[in-house]
Amino acid sequence: MYDNLVNFLHLTGFGLVTWQMGVMWLVVLVLLYLAVFKGFEPLLLVPIAFGALIANLPTQGVVNQAPGPILAPYDARVVTWHVKLGDEITEGMLLATLAPTGSSTRDNPELRANSHGRMIALTAREGAVVMGGQQLAEVYSHEPGGFFYYISKGIYWELFPPLIFLGVGALTDFGPLIARPMTILLGGAAQLGVGVTFLGAILLGFNSGEAASIGIIGGADGPTAIFTSNKLAPHLLSAIAVAAYSYMSLVPLIQPPIMRLLTTKKERLIRMKSLRPVGKTERLLFAILVTVVCILLVPAASALIAMLMLGNFLRECGVTDRLVKASQNEIINIVTIFLGTSVGMTMTGDAFLRAETLKIIALGVVAFGISTAGGVLMAKLMNVFLREDKINPLIGSAGVSAVPMAARVSHVEGQKADPGNYLLMHAMGPNVAGVIGTAVVAGYYIATLSGK
Amino acid sequence: MPPLIHPSLFVPPLAVTELSKDFLDQVAFQATGILIVLGTLSGIWIAVVALGKVLRLFSGSGVKAPSQAQADRAASMGALPEATPPEVADPRVIAAISAAIHTALRGRARIVSIVPQAAHSQVWSHEGRRDIYQSHRVR
C-alpha cells in the first residue's frame, strides 16, 4: 500500500511545479482581481488569466504539440543534437542546441520537445544553417496534440484577429465619421504614440520587428497588436497582448489627466454642432470605399480591413439580419473566448518572466499616453484653421481605437466641464477612425519589416 | 584667439555616429509611416466628402428622401381617423389614447376610429372600480 501511495505521488504534478509557475499564479490572481472585482475588460482578461493559469500548471493533453515535424523556431545553426534516431522523446526533453543567426539575440538556444513519441527523422544535420519554420526533425506517435494546441492555431494561422474585426465591424456605427469626415485625421494623429514608442523600443535594444509590435500597443487595438506581433515578433506575443488589453482596460485612468493637461477650460467647453443624418447608400459606399482604398495602399492589412468592412457592410445593408446578429454575438463571443485563452496559454513563466516583459509594459503605457496626446494636439491644430464649428479637443483622445471606451472617456471629461455637453457621438468619429488608422500602421510595419 | 570650445567636441565618435545614423533612419521610417497613415485617412476624408456631395446632388440630401407611398402612409398614420368626433379631436386626448393602446397592446397599432361613450355610460368607471375592488379582495 505504501509503495502504491508513493507511486501515485510520483504520478501527480506537484514535483513539476517551478518557482516561475508560482509567480505566474500571482500574476493570474492580479488579472482576475482586476477583471472580476474592478470590472477592467472582464470579457478579455478572464479568458487570458484563466489561460495563463492552465499554462502554468503541469497539465497533460492540453497544450502539448501534435507529433509530427519539429520546426526551427528562428533562423539558426544547429550546433548539437542531444537525441538520435529511434529515441523515445517526452515533453520538455532537450533535443538540440541552436545558435541564432537572426537579428534577435534573445532567442533561446535550447530546442526542447513539446510532444512525445519516437524520433523518426533528423532532417537537419549538425552544423546546418536553417531558416525559421524549416523542418529539423520528425516525431511519430499515434496520440494527437492537446486541445489548446489546436485552438491556438487560430492565433498562429491569423484566424482570430480578422474574425474579431468582423464582429467589431458589425457592431460599429461609422455614421459619425461619415457625417464629419475631417475627424478621421484625429484617428491618424493618435497613432503618434505607435511611432514614438517604436523609437523608444529601438533605444532599449529591441529589433525593428519587436519595436513595431510593441509600438502597436499605442493603437489600443488588441487584435491588431496580436496580428502584428504574430507576424513580426511571435516570441513577444504574450507580453504584448497582455500589455495591450491591460492598458485598454485602464483607458479611463490613463487618458483623463493627459486630456486635462493639454486643454484649457475654454477648449473643454466647446460645443460641437449636431451631426447630419447619414443615409444608407452613403454608409454602404463608405464601407466599399475604405476597403478598396486601404487594401490598395496597404495590402498587408487586407485581412483586418476586409473583415472589418465586411462586418460593417452586413450591418448597414439591412438584408442580412441573421449574419449581423451572428457576427455581433456568437462569432465574436466564441472567438473572444478562444483568443483570450490562447493568448493566456502563451504566458508560461519562462517566457513571461523576463526583463523584456517589464520593458514592454513600461513602453506600452508610454505609447498610450503619447497616442492620447497626439489626438488632442491634432484637434487643437485643426481648430487653428477652423473659423466656425470648432472641434472640442477632448474628442481627439478617442483617436486611440479602444472602441467605444475612449469615446466614452471623451464624453465624460466633456461633461465634467459642461454637464450639458454631449460629445459621445462626436467622439465616435475619431474612435472608429483609430481602428482604421491602427490597421494601416500595422500593414505598413508588416509590409516593410517582414523577413528582416 | 582660440575658440573656447574646440569644434572637435561637436564631432561624435565613430560608434556614436553609426548609432545616430541608424536611429535617424528609424526616425525617417516612422515619419514615413505617419505620413502614409495620414495620407490614407486624408484620402478617405476627401472621398467621403465627394461621395456625400454626389449623393446630395442626386437626392437633395445625403439621406434618401422618403417615397411618396411612404409619405402617404406616414401621413395617414399620423392623421386623425376620418370619423373622429370633434369633441375628441384634441391632440392631447389622441396622445393619451395612443399611449393607453401602446401600453395595453405592446406593439404598433393604428387607431381606426374613436367613438365617445355616451355621457350616461359608466362602463369604464365600473371597470376601474372593479379593478380597485379586486386589489382589496380578502383571500
Side-chain angles (χ1 to χ4, degrees):
Chain A
M1 185 178 163
Y2 173 77
D3 289 342
N4 287 339
L5 199 60
V6 169
N7 287 338
F8 172 73
L9 284 176
H10 280 131
L11 292 174
T12 62
F14 290 107
L16 301 171
V17 175
T18 61
W19 70 267
Q20 288 100 330
M21 288 179 176
V23 175
M24 288 308 293
W25 294 347
L26 293 177
V27 173
V28 166
L29 283 178
V30 171
L31 292 178
L32 286 176
Y33 172 75
L34 289 175
V36 177
F37 295 103
K38 292 290 179 182
F40 289 163
E41 290 276 336
L43 298 181
L44 289 161
L45 281 189
V46 168
I48 288 176
F50 216 87
L53 178 64
I54 295 168
N56 289 284
L57 287 170
T59 53
Q60 283 184 356
V62 178
V63 291
N64 57 296
Q65 193 175 326
I70 295 174
L71 308 179
Y74 45 80
D75 296 353
R77 182 172 55 82
V78 181
V79 179
T80 317
W81 278 108
H82 300 286
V83 289
K84 56 184 186 298
L85 273 178
D87 278 1
E88 281 290 336
I89 63 164
T90 53
E91 285 177 61
M93 181 186 277
L94 180 62
L95 298 178
T97 304
L98 306 175
T101 57
S103 56
S104 175
T105 55
R106 282 180 293 280
D107 294 322
N108 186 0
E110 293 182 346
L111 178 69
R112 291 187 176 273
N114 197 18
S115 61
H116 53 271
R118 187 180 295 275
M119 187 68 78
I120 58 167
L122 284 174
T123 319
R125 301 283 172 196
E126 287 182 358
V129 176
V130 292
M131 292 173 65
Q134 190 175 330
Q135 184 171 337
L136 298 175
E138 188 166 356
V139 176
Y140 173 78
S141 169
H142 62 277
E143 289 184 23
F147 173 67
F148 273 103
Y149 166 72
Y150 296 105
I151 295 294
S152 300
K153 290 294 177 193
I155 290 184
Y156 301 116
W157 292 342
E158 291 159 8
L159 302 176
F160 290 157
L163 284 173
I164 293 272
F165 261 50
L166 175 76
V168 171
L171 285 163
T172 303
D173 177 9
F174 282 99
L177 180 63
I178 303 169
R180 194 158 193 200
M182 72 165 63
T183 57
I184 201 169
L185 291 183
L186 301 177
Q191 308 308 317
L192 184 68
V194 177
V196 173
T197 308
F198 177 102
L199 298 173
I202 292 285
L203 288 177
L204 285 179
F206 290 96
N207 67 31
S208 301
E210 293 167 339
S213 305
I214 295 166
I216 286 288
I217 296 172
D221 190 334
T224 308
I226 290 170
F227 190 79
T228 311
S229 174
N230 191 47
K231 283 201 182 284
L232 300 177
H235 53 289
L236 299 182
L237 179 65
S238 57
I240 287 171
V242 169
Y245 283 119
S246 304
Y247 289 136
M248 277 167 65
S249 65
L250 295 174
V251 158
L253 296 178
I254 296 171
Q255 287 196 318
I258 299 166
M259 294 157 73
R260 286 195 288 268
L261 186 71
L262 295 176
T263 53
T264 62
K265 174 85 176 170
K266 190 180 169 191
E267 286 171 329
R268 292 197 289 273
L269 289 172
I270 292 175
R271 287 197 177 194
M272 296 173 69
K273 280 186 186 169
S274 296
L275 296 168
R276 70 173 172 86
V278 178
K280 179 179 170 182
T281 313
E282 211 169 348
R283 289 169 186 267
L284 292 177
L285 289 174
F286 175 81
I288 294 172
L289 178 84
V290 172
T291 308
V292 172
V293 171
C294 289
I295 291 180
L296 284 179
L297 281 170
V298 198
S302 301
L304 295 177
I305 293 289
M307 293 304 277
L308 178 73
M309 287 303 154
L310 169 63
N312 192 249
F313 196 93
L314 291 173
R315 170 198 169 97
E316 301 298 351
C317 70
V319 291
T320 54
D321 198 36
R322 282 165 50 193
L323 304 187
V324 178
K325 283 179 180 161
S327 306
Q328 290 176 333
N329 298 290
E330 290 83 1
I331 292 176
I332 198 168
N333 290 342
I334 290 169
V335 174
T336 300
I337 293 172
F338 288 155
L339 178 73
T341 42
S342 300
V343 166
M345 288 285 177
T346 63
M347 291 172 64
T348 52
D350 54 341
F352 196 77
L353 298 175
R354 296 182 187 176
E356 283 91 59
T357 306
L358 289 177
K359 288 182 191 172
I360 289 167
I361 287 171
L363 285 166
V365 75
V366 171
F368 250 74
I370 296 175
S371 289
T372 302
V376 173
L377 293 175
M378 176 59 111
K380 288 168 72 103
L381 180 67
M382 288 165 76
N383 278 344
V384 173
F385 299 100
L386 290 172
R387 290 189 178 173
E388 54 183 21
D389 196 13
K390 289 187 182 285
I391 296 170
N392 189 318
L394 292 176
I395 71 166
S397 65
V400 303
S401 46
V403 182
M405 201 184 298
R408 216 158 40 220
V409 170
S410 299
H411 177 72
V412 169
E413 283 303 305
Q415 291 217 314
K416 280 182 188 167
D418 175 6
N421 199 359
Y422 293 89
L423 291 175
L424 187 62
M425 289 314 287
H426 298 287
M428 281 307 291
N431 206 190
V432 296
V435 178
I436 300 171
T438 309
V440 173
V441 175
Y444 171 70
Y445 283 152
I446 293 166
T448 50
L449 297 175
S450 281
K452 286 190 177 178
Chain B
M1 183 179 170
L4 291 175
I5 301 172
H6 197 275
S8 66
L9 287 175
F10 292 108
V11 181
L14 188 62
V16 176
T17 313
E18 287 295 315
L19 181 68
S20 304
K21 187 176 175 302
D22 283 352
F23 190 71
L24 285 177
D25 286 345
Q26 298 289 6
V27 172
F29 174 66
Q30 290 310 310
T32 312
I34 292 286
L35 275 180
I36 287 174
V37 173
L38 288 176
T40 306
L41 296 179
S42 301
I44 293 172
W45 170 20
I46 293 164
V48 168
V49 171
L51 185 69
K53 288 196 172 175
V54 169
L55 287 174
R56 272 193 292 278
L57 199 67
F58 282 102
S59 65
S61 79
V63 182
K64 190 181 170 187
S67 66
Q68 189 58 44
Q70 283 175 313
D72 291 346
R73 185 161 163 266
S76 70
M77 298 219 14
L80 293 176
E82 283 178 12
T84 305
E87 60 266 35
V88 291
D90 185 343
R92 287 171 297 183
V93 176
I94 301 293
I97 292 172
S98 302
I101 290 169
H102 179 76
T103 306
L105 301 181
R106 296 281 169 202
R108 294 189 65 176
R110 185 178 170 206
I111 303 171
V112 178
S113 68
I114 300 171
V115 181
Q117 291 293 310
H120 59 272
S121 169
Q122 294 186 328
V123 178
W124 282 105
S125 56
H126 284 164
E127 178 64 20
R129 198 169 295 153
R130 191 175 66 83
D131 201 34
I132 292 168
Y133 286 163
Q134 274 190 330
S135 69
H136 290 81
R137 191 174 358 172
V138 180
R139 294 176 186 275

